[in-house]
Amino acid sequence: MRGVVNQDLTVELCRDVGRSLGTSLAAGSAVCLGTDSRLSRELIKKAVTDGLTESGINVAHMGIVPTPAVALLTRELGFDAGVMITASHNPPEFNGIKLFNCDSIGYSRPQEEELESIYYSGKFRTGQTGRMEPAPHLKDRYSDFIIRLTGEMNFNRKLKVMIDPGNGAASGIAADIFHKLGFNVTPVNDTPDGRFPGRSSEPREDTLQGTIKFLRQKNADLAVCFDGDADRVVFCDQKGFLGFNEMISFISRNVVQASGKKAVATTVETGMLLDLAIQDLGGKVLRGKVGDVYAAHLARDNDAALGVESVGVYILPQAGYYPDSILAALTLLSCVTSVSDIREFIAALPPLYFAKDKVTCGNERKIPAMQSVAARIDSLGPASVNGLDGLRLEFGDAWMLIRASGTEPAIRVLAESTDNERSQTLLKKGMALVQEAVKGGKL
């Protein structure tokens, strides 16, 4: 859950979410809790902690830590659940609550529905009061674990690496891990500050221009850039931003080669570049619902080599079924002798052309409009349709996604092809179909 603090995300709501989680766990259970660097972190942390302890749960406060640390340590230290107070890549006025199971995987939709049922019933367990204790030292256990996991990796430690946590949860931690592994590290935006003064908490090409300029000034080889809670990572070199689909494709190819596993789990929003990157290895791309928790469950259920989302999410099974951006960055560095290897790989793949647009649609119209689109989808002549999350149409040389937005009153249309004219034509056809459906046109 996520929202603007004191508007969507009130203290009362957060306390009752804590009570709901506490009621769902056995009395006396232990929960670890971390936050990102947002200014509202103490307010939300206290509310959730109050709810948990009132329902008989013991809480260990880890302080400001990356989301991957909460996920991993929940499992490694034997906690019954993990709680991360974060709004991930959203602006400073947002915050949120993310939950992890004792095996490090995020809460599934059925588990969320169970908590919602408890929340709306108002039937919270009372009687026994849990303890709260500070445990800031636990974050060191995360760093130690990641360093151990890299024991068999080979690195070119002559590479000069810039670490940019964006004043978020990875501040101080990521750079320290890279330094301990022997890299020449240049940190930037490396002090926790929930106002995100250095750059936006969402790392994209447009928000990383200052980082790229600094990278060139320092003559560094690669910039490793995290989002607000460090469950996403993107990369830049001296030529600029290295892309979203490009990097999940490069890393996935290398992980498939190294692991011997053929499947890569992702979402319906991921483009064709991933398929092209692993097809000569006999690789198969599995696409499910949008969201890193869905990608994690899809990866686990299919014993995939890894799970990815194009925004910079990497789920690496050797650590666990949760997004670990720091391990992903180290995995990338174990795959290259020179950063130029990445652009050489990208240049060798066929060029792809992406097009997107959206149709305004009130939330109350989304379901009937999408039902209308589904009823007419055969008119576009797809070879196959994936209906797990919106409608993803495969055409062999192209694909299209028609999906109701979860964050705004709109239905989005995306198309991609190896031919620019083809992607534009598909986009126009998809937009026309959605516009007619939103108007309520007759079948």
Side-chain angles (χ1 to χ4, degrees):
M1 58 180 297
R2 196 179 300 171
V4 176
V5 176
N6 289 326
Q7 293 182 27
D8 314 300
L9 205 70
T10 64
V11 169
E12 293 77 14
L13 185 150
C14 293
R15 183 183 296 117
D16 284 349
V17 169
R19 288 171 172 155
S20 301
L21 175 60
T23 302
S24 73
L25 299 169
S29 294
V31 168
C32 64
L33 185 150
T35 77
D36 66 17
S37 60
R38 292 167 194 275
L39 301 184
S40 60
R41 63 185 182 273
E42 294 298 328
L43 179 72
I44 305 303
K45 179 178 78 173
K46 183 179 186 306
V48 174
T49 299
D50 287 347
L52 285 166
T53 54
E54 286 168 16
S55 54
I57 305 301
N58 301 316
V59 184
H61 283 172
M62 296 192 291
I64 297 175
V65 292
T67 289
V70 172
L72 177 70
L73 294 177
T74 300
R75 183 190 74 221
E76 289 299 298
L77 301 181
F79 288 100
D80 297 288
V83 179
M84 181 67 183
I85 307 301
T86 180
S88 191
H89 56 280
N90 285 74
E93 64 271 21
F94 284 77
N95 215 326
I97 305 168
K98 188 164 187 174
L99 305 178
F100 293 94
N101 283 286
C102 60
D103 61 356
S104 80
I105 199 167
Y107 266 42
S108 66
R109 185 59 194 141
Q111 287 180 296
E112 291 174 346
E113 289 171 348
E114 178 190 353
L115 295 188
E116 288 169 8
S117 177
I118 296 170
Y119 175 91
Y120 287 113
S121 75
K123 297 177 180 178
F124 308 124
R125 184 176 58 235
T126 57
Q128 180 179 337
T129 300
R131 303 185 309 275
M132 184 283 291
E133 60 178 305
H137 61 283
L138 294 183
K139 68 182 71 174
D140 295 334
R141 301 284 292 272
Y142 169 74
S143 299
D144 293 343
F145 185 90
I146 295 300
I147 289 170
R148 286 199 305 272
L149 275 182
T150 65
E152 296 184 5
M153 292 182 181
N154 294 313
F155 300 113
N156 176 6
R157 290 181 171 83
K158 293 181 180 179
L159 292 175
K160 191 173 183 180
V161 181
M162 181 168 288
I163 302 294
D164 180 6
N167 302 116
S171 296
I173 297 172
D176 182 62
I177 290 173
F178 279 71
H179 179 73
K180 285 179 178 177
L181 286 169
F183 285 99
N184 182 349
V185 177
T186 300
V188 61
N189 303 321
D190 200 34
T191 302
D193 188 333
R195 298 167 299 175
F196 305 114
R199 62 161 171 83
S200 166
S201 57
E202 183 174 8
R204 308 184 307 261
E205 182 171 11
D206 59 323
T207 64
L208 292 172
Q209 290 306 305
T211 301
I212 294 168
K213 182 179 179 181
F214 193 54
L215 173 79
R216 292 167 179 157
Q217 288 174 353
K218 294 296 183 180
N219 197 31
D221 297 294
L222 183 75
V224 178
C225 310
F226 302 98
D227 72 335
D229 68 328
D231 67 349
R232 297 182 179 185
V233 62
V234 300
F235 306 94
C236 307
D237 64 5
Q238 292 204 11
K239 292 183 178 180
F241 185 61
L242 279 162
F244 288 115
N245 280 301
E246 290 83 353
M247 291 311 301
I248 65 166
S249 300
F250 182 81
I251 292 174
S252 294
R253 177 179 177 84
N254 281 279
V255 172
V256 167
Q257 279 184 310
S259 69
K261 296 179 179 180
K262 301 300 183 184
V264 177
T266 188
T267 77
V268 293
E269 288 186 335
T270 300
M272 293 170 61
L273 202 65
L274 180 57
D275 303 77
L276 296 173
I278 64 172
Q279 65 180 4
D280 66 312
L281 302 175
K284 180 181 181 182
V285 178
L286 308 174
R287 289 182 169 88
K289 292 184 177 182
V290 174
D292 61 76
V293 172
Y294 292 114
H297 281 266
L298 187 63
R300 186 183 66 177
D301 294 346
N302 291 276
D303 192 26
L306 75 166
V308 294
E309 281 192 288
S310 58
V311 290
V313 167
Y314 298 88
I315 298 154
L316 298 157
Q318 66 267 40
Y321 290 98
Y322 67 91
D324 200 310
S325 57
I326 295 175
L327 182 60
L330 292 166
T331 300
L332 169 65
L333 286 164
S334 74
C335 298
V336 299
T337 54
S338 169
V339 172
S340 63
D341 296 347
I342 301 169
R343 289 200 181 270
E344 289 172 8
F345 162 80
I346 295 168
L349 293 171
L352 292 169
Y353 300 91
F354 184 77
K356 65 177 180 178
D357 207 338
K358 62 185 176 183
V359 178
T360 299
C361 178
N363 291 333
E364 73 286 350
R365 284 285 305 152
K366 285 179 179 177
I367 292 177
M370 285 302 298
Q371 289 173 338
S372 177
V373 170
R376 308 174 193 213
I377 209 69
D378 287 344
S379 66
L380 298 178
S384 63
V385 178
N386 180 335
L388 284 175
D389 193 355
L391 298 164
R392 181 177 168 118
L393 289 65
E394 301 289 349
F395 298 95
D397 65 333
W399 64 276
M400 176 195 296
L401 177 66
I402 301 175
R403 180 176 179 269
S405 170
T407 57
E408 62 178 321
I411 294 176
R412 297 192 177 112
V413 183
L414 293 72
E416 187 180 49
S417 173
T418 53
D419 178 82
N420 188 38
E421 186 176 347
R422 172 78 160 138
S423 64
Q424 294 295 333
T425 298
L426 282 174
L427 180 67
K428 289 177 184 177
K429 288 182 177 180
M431 286 290 290
L433 194 63
V434 173
Q435 286 165 348
E436 187 65 22
V438 169
K439 287 180 193 174
K442 295 181 179 179
L443 298 177

